[in-house]
Amino acid sequence: MKKNEKIIIFILLVVLIIAIIAFVVNQNKNGEELNNENITEENNLVEENNTVEEEFTQLFQITSEDVIGNQAPFDFDVSVKDIYSTLKTGATMQIIPKQYFSFPVKLLDFLVEREVTTLIWAVAALCIITTLKGFEYKIPTKVKKVIFSGEVMPVKHLNLWREALPDAMYVNVYGPTEITCNCTYYVVDREFAPGEVLPIGRAFPNEKVFL
């Protein structure tokens, strides 16, 4: 697929997302005539969406100055955080070519050249760089936020990331299924020894967790 075609597809997706948001807002306004029960249900839906639009960006200090390195394809739930964080804050999103995740040199070159500051990646994607010793080649020093999910982050690989980028914020986000996406988060605030397991942390605002 040519670069221009990718840009057109991205623009169409953004327009579609904006149209969906506008529809939800309009439905919410029209719902003023509904009974209290239905109004409560609609408000719950809007509050759920605000978890991404409001809480996620505020919790992790994502702003218009950030450059988000998009790893997840748009048909994968993880990409929601990239898309909505970009739309909410006016941040820049750089769509990383999928094939780069098989070649850490190209991937790291991309992160450095595009001055990426924020990674919201699957654990496996982060581990590719450390497994293939990518940091011996180059360190993307602009990266300040590393948010990961999808599976348990091996402490060995987390420590390699923290060694390469000691000033970055690392966040373990957890969700039991694709439907919930992420419902808890833990900002890594101490050293972890090999063999330890990262906690899943606390519930996002507007979320409740039952164990």
mmCIF file of all heavy atoms in Angstrom, residues 57-96:
data_model
loop_
_atom_site.group_PDB
_atom_site.id
_atom_site.type_symbol
_atom_site.label_atom_id
_atom_site.label_comp_id
_atom_site.label_asym_id
_atom_site.label_seq_id
_atom_site.Cartn_x
_atom_site.Cartn_y
_atom_site.Cartn_z
ATOM 1 N N THR A 57 -5.836 10.232 29.347
ATOM 2 C CA THR A 57 -4.872 11.271 28.974
ATOM 3 C C THR A 57 -4.407 12.068 30.183
ATOM 4 O O THR A 57 -3.244 12.486 30.247
ATOM 5 C CB THR A 57 -5.484 12.218 27.928
ATOM 6 O OG1 THR A 57 -6.731 12.724 28.411
ATOM 7 C CG2 THR A 57 -5.707 11.496 26.617
ATOM 8 N N GLN A 58 -5.293 12.291 31.151
ATOM 9 C CA GLN A 58 -4.897 13.033 32.343
ATOM 10 C C GLN A 58 -3.991 12.214 33.244
ATOM 11 O O GLN A 58 -2.983 12.716 33.752
ATOM 12 C CB GLN A 58 -6.139 13.492 33.111
ATOM 13 C CG GLN A 58 -6.945 14.570 32.395
ATOM 14 C CD GLN A 58 -8.166 15.001 33.172
ATOM 15 O OE1 GLN A 58 -8.326 14.680 34.349
ATOM 16 N NE2 GLN A 58 -9.064 15.732 32.521
ATOM 17 N N LEU A 59 -4.353 10.960 33.455
ATOM 18 C CA LEU A 59 -3.549 10.100 34.326
ATOM 19 C C LEU A 59 -2.109 9.988 33.842
ATOM 20 O O LEU A 59 -1.168 10.027 34.642
ATOM 21 C CB LEU A 59 -4.172 8.701 34.404
ATOM 22 C CG LEU A 59 -5.371 8.514 35.319
ATOM 23 C CD1 LEU A 59 -5.976 7.133 35.106
ATOM 24 C CD2 LEU A 59 -4.980 8.692 36.779
ATOM 25 N N PHE A 60 -1.946 9.858 32.541
ATOM 26 C CA PHE A 60 -0.617 9.612 31.990
ATOM 27 C C PHE A 60 -0.026 10.843 31.307
ATOM 28 O O PHE A 60 0.943 10.748 30.569
ATOM 29 C CB PHE A 60 -0.673 8.410 31.042
ATOM 30 C CG PHE A 60 -1.274 7.192 31.714
ATOM 31 C CD1 PHE A 60 -2.266 6.454 31.091
ATOM 32 C CD2 PHE A 60 -0.878 6.815 32.985
ATOM 33 C CE1 PHE A 60 -2.833 5.352 31.720
ATOM 34 C CE2 PHE A 60 -1.448 5.712 33.624
ATOM 35 C CZ PHE A 60 -2.421 4.981 32.984
ATOM 36 N N GLN A 61 -0.653 11.989 31.580
ATOM 37 C CA GLN A 61 -0.098 13.287 31.179
ATOM 38 C C GLN A 61 0.217 13.351 29.676
ATOM 39 O O GLN A 61 1.269 13.820 29.258
ATOM 40 C CB GLN A 61 1.159 13.573 32.004
ATOM 41 C CG GLN A 61 0.906 13.588 33.507
ATOM 42 C CD GLN A 61 2.172 13.453 34.320
ATOM 43 O OE1 GLN A 61 3.255 13.771 33.851
ATOM 44 N NE2 GLN A 61 2.046 12.977 35.550
ATOM 45 N N ILE A 62 -0.724 12.877 28.881
ATOM 46 C CA ILE A 62 -0.587 12.959 27.428
ATOM 47 C C ILE A 62 -1.123 14.318 26.981
ATOM 48 O O ILE A 62 -2.245 14.695 27.323
ATOM 49 C CB ILE A 62 -1.349 11.822 26.740
ATOM 50 C CG1 ILE A 62 -0.751 10.470 27.167
ATOM 51 C CG2 ILE A 62 -1.292 11.958 25.224
ATOM 52 C CD1 ILE A 62 -1.537 9.265 26.679
ATOM 53 N N THR A 63 -0.318 15.053 26.255
ATOM 54 C CA THR A 63 -0.673 16.411 25.846
ATOM 55 C C THR A 63 -0.454 16.601 24.350
ATOM 56 O O THR A 63 -0.018 15.676 23.647
ATOM 57 C CB THR A 63 0.183 17.449 26.602
ATOM 58 O OG1 THR A 63 1.535 17.396 26.104
ATOM 59 C CG2 THR A 63 0.177 17.182 28.104
ATOM 60 N N SER A 64 -0.710 17.814 23.901
ATOM 61 C CA SER A 64 -0.523 18.144 22.485
ATOM 62 C C SER A 64 0.945 18.085 22.078
ATOM 63 O O SER A 64 1.263 18.049 20.888
ATOM 64 C CB SER A 64 -1.084 19.537 22.195
ATOM 65 O OG SER A 64 -0.419 20.519 22.980
ATOM 66 N N GLU A 65 1.832 18.067 23.051
ATOM 67 C CA GLU A 65 3.260 18.020 22.757
ATOM 68 C C GLU A 65 3.743 16.599 22.483
ATOM 69 O O GLU A 65 4.874 16.400 22.033
ATOM 70 C CB GLU A 65 4.063 18.602 23.933
ATOM 71 C CG GLU A 65 3.725 20.055 24.262
ATOM 72 C CD GLU A 65 4.021 20.981 23.096
ATOM 73 O OE1 GLU A 65 5.086 20.819 22.464
ATOM 74 O OE2 GLU A 65 3.184 21.858 22.808
ATOM 75 N N ASP A 66 2.906 15.618 22.770
ATOM 76 C CA ASP A 66 3.336 14.222 22.637
ATOM 77 C C ASP A 66 3.260 13.731 21.198
ATOM 78 O O ASP A 66 2.440 14.189 20.396
ATOM 79 C CB ASP A 66 2.489 13.315 23.532
ATOM 80 C CG ASP A 66 2.981 13.312 24.971
ATOM 81 O OD1 ASP A 66 4.139 12.945 25.194
ATOM 82 O OD2 ASP A 66 2.208 13.691 25.867
ATOM 83 N N VAL A 67 4.138 12.772 20.921
ATOM 84 C CA VAL A 67 4.132 12.054 19.644
ATOM 85 C C VAL A 67 3.920 10.583 19.991
ATOM 86 O O VAL A 67 4.786 9.943 20.602
ATOM 87 C CB VAL A 67 5.448 12.240 18.870
ATOM 88 C CG1 VAL A 67 5.406 11.456 17.562
ATOM 89 C CG2 VAL A 67 5.713 13.714 18.610
ATOM 90 N N ILE A 68 2.770 10.048 19.626
ATOM 91 C CA ILE A 68 2.403 8.669 19.964
ATOM 92 C C ILE A 68 2.837 7.740 18.843
ATOM 93 O O ILE A 68 2.459 7.926 17.687
ATOM 94 C CB ILE A 68 0.891 8.553 20.207
ATOM 95 C CG1 ILE A 68 0.475 9.454 21.379
ATOM 96 C CG2 ILE A 68 0.486 7.107 20.462
ATOM 97 C CD1 ILE A 68 -1.022 9.544 21.589
ATOM 98 N N GLY A 69 3.631 6.746 19.179
ATOM 99 C CA GLY A 69 4.068 5.757 18.204
ATOM 100 C C GLY A 69 3.073 4.615 18.152
ATOM 101 O O GLY A 69 3.067 3.741 19.024
ATOM 102 N N ASN A 70 2.221 4.603 17.145
ATOM 103 C CA ASN A 70 1.140 3.619 17.055
ATOM 104 C C ASN A 70 1.666 2.250 16.628
ATOM 105 O O ASN A 70 2.204 2.095 15.542
ATOM 106 C CB ASN A 70 0.077 4.103 16.072
ATOM 107 C CG ASN A 70 -0.903 3.020 15.681
ATOM 108 O OD1 ASN A 70 -0.876 2.531 14.564
ATOM 109 N ND2 ASN A 70 -1.752 2.626 16.605
ATOM 110 N N GLN A 71 1.487 1.266 17.495
ATOM 111 C CA GLN A 71 1.913 -0.108 17.203
ATOM 112 C C GLN A 71 0.753 -0.995 16.768
ATOM 113 O O GLN A 71 0.884 -1.826 15.880
ATOM 114 C CB GLN A 71 2.572 -0.726 18.442
ATOM 115 C CG GLN A 71 2.898 -2.215 18.321
ATOM 116 C CD GLN A 71 1.942 -3.098 19.113
ATOM 117 O OE1 GLN A 71 1.547 -2.769 20.219
ATOM 118 N NE2 GLN A 71 1.586 -4.242 18.544
ATOM 119 N N ALA A 72 -0.404 -0.822 17.419
ATOM 120 C CA ALA A 72 -1.528 -1.715 17.188
ATOM 121 C C ALA A 72 -2.299 -1.331 15.926
ATOM 122 O O ALA A 72 -2.572 -0.149 15.698
ATOM 123 C CB ALA A 72 -2.470 -1.689 18.386
ATOM 124 N N PRO A 73 -2.673 -2.295 15.095
ATOM 125 C CA PRO A 73 -3.520 -1.987 13.929
ATOM 126 C C PRO A 73 -4.874 -1.470 14.392
ATOM 127 O O PRO A 73 -5.307 -1.734 15.520
ATOM 128 C CB PRO A 73 -3.641 -3.343 13.222
ATOM 129 C CG PRO A 73 -3.336 -4.366 14.267
ATOM 130 C CD PRO A 73 -2.352 -3.732 15.193
ATOM 131 N N PHE A 74 -5.563 -0.734 13.520
ATOM 132 C CA PHE A 74 -6.806 -0.078 13.916
ATOM 133 C C PHE A 74 -7.961 -1.039 14.171
ATOM 134 O O PHE A 74 -9.006 -0.625 14.666
ATOM 135 C CB PHE A 74 -7.212 0.967 12.872
ATOM 136 C CG PHE A 74 -6.339 2.203 12.891
ATOM 137 C CD1 PHE A 74 -6.510 3.192 11.943
ATOM 138 C CD2 PHE A 74 -5.355 2.369 13.857
ATOM 139 C CE1 PHE A 74 -5.711 4.337 11.957
ATOM 140 C CE2 PHE A 74 -4.558 3.498 13.886
ATOM 141 C CZ PHE A 74 -4.738 4.480 12.931
ATOM 142 N N ASP A 75 -7.816 -2.310 13.810
ATOM 143 C CA ASP A 75 -8.862 -3.284 14.117
ATOM 144 C C ASP A 75 -8.569 -4.027 15.422
ATOM 145 O O ASP A 75 -9.243 -4.993 15.754
ATOM 146 C CB ASP A 75 -9.033 -4.283 12.972
ATOM 147 C CG ASP A 75 -7.757 -5.058 12.670
ATOM 148 O OD1 ASP A 75 -6.703 -4.739 13.253
ATOM 149 O OD2 ASP A 75 -7.815 -5.995 11.839
ATOM 150 N N PHE A 76 -7.590 -3.554 16.183
ATOM 151 C CA PHE A 76 -7.207 -4.158 17.460
ATOM 152 C C PHE A 76 -7.546 -3.163 18.564
ATOM 153 O O PHE A 76 -7.285 -1.962 18.437
ATOM 154 C CB PHE A 76 -5.714 -4.482 17.449
ATOM 155 C CG PHE A 76 -5.216 -5.207 18.673
ATOM 156 C CD1 PHE A 76 -5.998 -6.155 19.312
ATOM 157 C CD2 PHE A 76 -3.949 -4.943 19.177
ATOM 158 C CE1 PHE A 76 -5.538 -6.827 20.435
ATOM 159 C CE2 PHE A 76 -3.483 -5.609 20.291
ATOM 160 C CZ PHE A 76 -4.280 -6.549 20.921
ATOM 161 N N ASP A 77 -8.120 -3.658 19.671
ATOM 162 C CA ASP A 77 -8.641 -2.761 20.707
ATOM 163 C C ASP A 77 -7.589 -1.824 21.301
ATOM 164 O O ASP A 77 -7.914 -0.708 21.718
ATOM 165 C CB ASP A 77 -9.301 -3.570 21.829
ATOM 166 C CG ASP A 77 -8.316 -4.466 22.564
ATOM 167 O OD1 ASP A 77 -7.711 -5.337 21.908
ATOM 168 O OD2 ASP A 77 -8.152 -4.314 23.784
ATOM 169 N N VAL A 78 -6.337 -2.236 21.332
ATOM 170 C CA VAL A 78 -5.287 -1.393 21.920
ATOM 171 C C VAL A 78 -5.173 -0.057 21.191
ATOM 172 O O VAL A 78 -4.840 0.974 21.788
ATOM 173 C CB VAL A 78 -3.931 -2.132 21.900
ATOM 174 C CG1 VAL A 78 -2.806 -1.236 22.419
ATOM 175 C CG2 VAL A 78 -4.010 -3.392 22.764
ATOM 176 N N SER A 79 -5.487 -0.049 19.894
ATOM 177 C CA SER A 79 -5.342 1.180 19.108
ATOM 178 C C SER A 79 -6.310 2.272 19.550
ATOM 179 O O SER A 79 -6.090 3.453 19.255
ATOM 180 C CB SER A 79 -5.553 0.886 17.622
ATOM 181 O OG SER A 79 -6.902 0.513 17.367
ATOM 182 N N VAL A 80 -7.383 1.905 20.259
ATOM 183 C CA VAL A 80 -8.347 2.900 20.729
ATOM 184 C C VAL A 80 -7.649 3.972 21.568
ATOM 185 O O VAL A 80 -7.937 5.162 21.453
ATOM 186 C CB VAL A 80 -9.467 2.222 21.551
ATOM 187 C CG1 VAL A 80 -10.319 3.261 22.269
ATOM 188 C CG2 VAL A 80 -10.335 1.361 20.644
ATOM 189 N N LYS A 81 -6.705 3.538 22.406
ATOM 190 C CA LYS A 81 -6.009 4.497 23.273
ATOM 191 C C LYS A 81 -5.136 5.448 22.456
ATOM 192 O O LYS A 81 -5.003 6.625 22.792
ATOM 193 C CB LYS A 81 -5.196 3.740 24.320
ATOM 194 C CG LYS A 81 -6.073 2.939 25.283
ATOM 195 C CD LYS A 81 -5.273 2.281 26.379
ATOM 196 C CE LYS A 81 -4.528 1.056 25.901
ATOM 197 N NZ LYS A 81 -5.421 -0.057 25.555
ATOM 198 N N ASP A 82 -4.536 4.946 21.391
ATOM 199 C CA ASP A 82 -3.753 5.816 20.505
ATOM 200 C C ASP A 82 -4.657 6.841 19.811
ATOM 201 O O ASP A 82 -4.370 8.041 19.791
ATOM 202 C CB ASP A 82 -3.037 4.985 19.433
ATOM 203 C CG ASP A 82 -1.949 4.089 19.988
ATOM 204 O OD1 ASP A 82 -1.538 4.301 21.138
ATOM 205 O OD2 ASP A 82 -1.513 3.179 19.259
ATOM 206 N N ILE A 83 -5.745 6.337 19.232
ATOM 207 C CA ILE A 83 -6.623 7.184 18.417
ATOM 208 C C ILE A 83 -7.291 8.267 19.259
ATOM 209 O O ILE A 83 -7.229 9.461 18.947
ATOM 210 C CB ILE A 83 -7.688 6.326 17.708
ATOM 211 C CG1 ILE A 83 -7.019 5.362 16.718
ATOM 212 C CG2 ILE A 83 -8.709 7.216 16.998
ATOM 213 C CD1 ILE A 83 -7.947 4.299 16.165
ATOM 214 N N TYR A 84 -7.937 7.846 20.359
ATOM 215 C CA TYR A 84 -8.682 8.814 21.150
ATOM 216 C C TYR A 84 -7.766 9.767 21.912
ATOM 217 O O TYR A 84 -8.109 10.937 22.114
ATOM 218 C CB TYR A 84 -9.631 8.095 22.116
ATOM 219 C CG TYR A 84 -10.916 7.682 21.453
ATOM 220 C CD1 TYR A 84 -11.050 6.428 20.865
ATOM 221 C CD2 TYR A 84 -11.998 8.552 21.377
ATOM 222 C CE1 TYR A 84 -12.221 6.045 20.241
ATOM 223 C CE2 TYR A 84 -13.176 8.184 20.753
ATOM 224 C CZ TYR A 84 -13.286 6.929 20.192
ATOM 225 O OH TYR A 84 -14.443 6.564 19.562
ATOM 226 N N SER A 85 -6.606 9.292 22.341
ATOM 227 C CA SER A 85 -5.661 10.188 23.015
ATOM 228 C C SER A 85 -5.183 11.263 22.051
ATOM 229 O O SER A 85 -5.027 12.436 22.419
ATOM 230 C CB SER A 85 -4.468 9.395 23.559
ATOM 231 O OG SER A 85 -4.863 8.507 24.580
ATOM 232 N N THR A 86 -4.966 10.881 20.801
ATOM 233 C CA THR A 86 -4.551 11.841 19.776
ATOM 234 C C THR A 86 -5.647 12.866 19.512
ATOM 235 O O THR A 86 -5.398 14.074 19.467
ATOM 236 C CB THR A 86 -4.198 11.108 18.467
ATOM 237 O OG1 THR A 86 -3.112 10.199 18.713
ATOM 238 C CG2 THR A 86 -3.778 12.095 17.386
ATOM 239 N N LEU A 87 -6.893 12.389 19.337
ATOM 240 C CA LEU A 87 -8.008 13.289 19.062
ATOM 241 C C LEU A 87 -8.303 14.203 20.243
ATOM 242 O O LEU A 87 -8.621 15.385 20.068
ATOM 243 C CB LEU A 87 -9.258 12.480 18.711
ATOM 244 C CG LEU A 87 -9.220 11.699 17.394
ATOM 245 C CD1 LEU A 87 -10.479 10.846 17.263
ATOM 246 C CD2 LEU A 87 -9.098 12.641 16.207
ATOM 247 N N LYS A 88 -8.217 13.664 21.455
ATOM 248 C CA LYS A 88 -8.553 14.436 22.642
ATOM 249 C C LYS A 88 -7.555 15.562 22.903
ATOM 250 O O LYS A 88 -7.947 16.688 23.235
ATOM 251 C CB LYS A 88 -8.615 13.499 23.856
ATOM 252 C CG LYS A 88 -8.763 14.206 25.201
ATOM 253 C CD LYS A 88 -10.062 14.975 25.285
ATOM 254 C CE LYS A 88 -10.196 15.701 26.617
ATOM 255 N NZ LYS A 88 -11.405 16.541 26.660
ATOM 256 N N THR A 89 -6.277 15.268 22.773
ATOM 257 C CA THR A 89 -5.247 16.224 23.195
ATOM 258 C C THR A 89 -4.625 17.015 22.050
ATOM 259 O O THR A 89 -3.948 18.007 22.292
ATOM 260 C CB THR A 89 -4.116 15.496 23.937
ATOM 261 O OG1 THR A 89 -3.445 14.605 23.026
ATOM 262 C CG2 THR A 89 -4.656 14.702 25.117
ATOM 263 N N GLY A 90 -4.847 16.558 20.819
ATOM 264 C CA GLY A 90 -4.163 17.206 19.702
ATOM 265 C C GLY A 90 -2.730 16.739 19.556
ATOM 266 O O GLY A 90 -1.910 17.415 18.919
ATOM 267 N N ALA A 91 -2.428 15.590 20.140
ATOM 268 C CA ALA A 91 -1.093 15.009 20.001
ATOM 269 C C ALA A 91 -0.878 14.551 18.558
ATOM 270 O O ALA A 91 -1.804 14.531 17.740
ATOM 271 C CB ALA A 91 -0.922 13.827 20.962
ATOM 272 N N THR A 92 0.341 14.169 18.245
ATOM 273 C CA THR A 92 0.682 13.636 16.922
ATOM 274 C C THR A 92 0.758 12.116 17.008
ATOM 275 O O THR A 92 1.318 11.572 17.957
ATOM 276 C CB THR A 92 2.041 14.187 16.451
ATOM 277 O OG1 THR A 92 1.957 15.608 16.358
ATOM 278 C CG2 THR A 92 2.429 13.613 15.092
ATOM 279 N N MET A 93 0.183 11.431 16.036
ATOM 280 C CA MET A 93 0.324 9.977 15.976
ATOM 281 C C MET A 93 1.185 9.587 14.775
ATOM 282 O O MET A 93 0.911 10.007 13.651
ATOM 283 C CB MET A 93 -1.032 9.280 15.863
ATOM 284 C CG MET A 93 -0.910 7.752 15.964
ATOM 285 S SD MET A 93 -2.339 6.850 15.294
ATOM 286 C CE MET A 93 -3.671 7.519 16.258
ATOM 287 N N GLN A 94 2.206 8.805 15.032
ATOM 288 C CA GLN A 94 3.037 8.250 13.972
ATOM 289 C C GLN A 94 2.706 6.768 13.835
ATOM 290 O O GLN A 94 2.867 6.003 14.781
ATOM 291 C CB GLN A 94 4.532 8.430 14.304
ATOM 292 C CG GLN A 94 5.001 9.867 14.357
ATOM 293 C CD GLN A 94 5.088 10.501 12.967
ATOM 294 O OE1 GLN A 94 4.982 9.821 11.955
ATOM 295 N NE2 GLN A 94 5.289 11.809 12.932
ATOM 296 N N ILE A 95 2.205 6.379 12.664
ATOM 297 C CA ILE A 95 1.823 4.980 12.436
ATOM 298 C C ILE A 95 3.063 4.206 12.004
ATOM 299 O O ILE A 95 3.624 4.444 10.935
ATOM 300 C CB ILE A 95 0.717 4.888 11.370
ATOM 301 C CG1 ILE A 95 -0.497 5.721 11.809
ATOM 302 C CG2 ILE A 95 0.324 3.432 11.133
ATOM 303 C CD1 ILE A 95 -1.591 5.798 10.771
ATOM 304 N N ILE A 96 3.480 3.284 12.852
ATOM 305 C CA ILE A 96 4.706 2.527 12.597
ATOM 306 C C ILE A 96 4.409 1.375 11.639
ATOM 307 O O ILE A 96 3.499 0.577 11.891
ATOM 308 C CB ILE A 96 5.281 1.973 13.911
ATOM 309 C CG1 ILE A 96 5.502 3.122 14.915
ATOM 310 C CG2 ILE A 96 6.575 1.208 13.660
ATOM 311 C CD1 ILE A 96 5.859 2.650 16.306
#
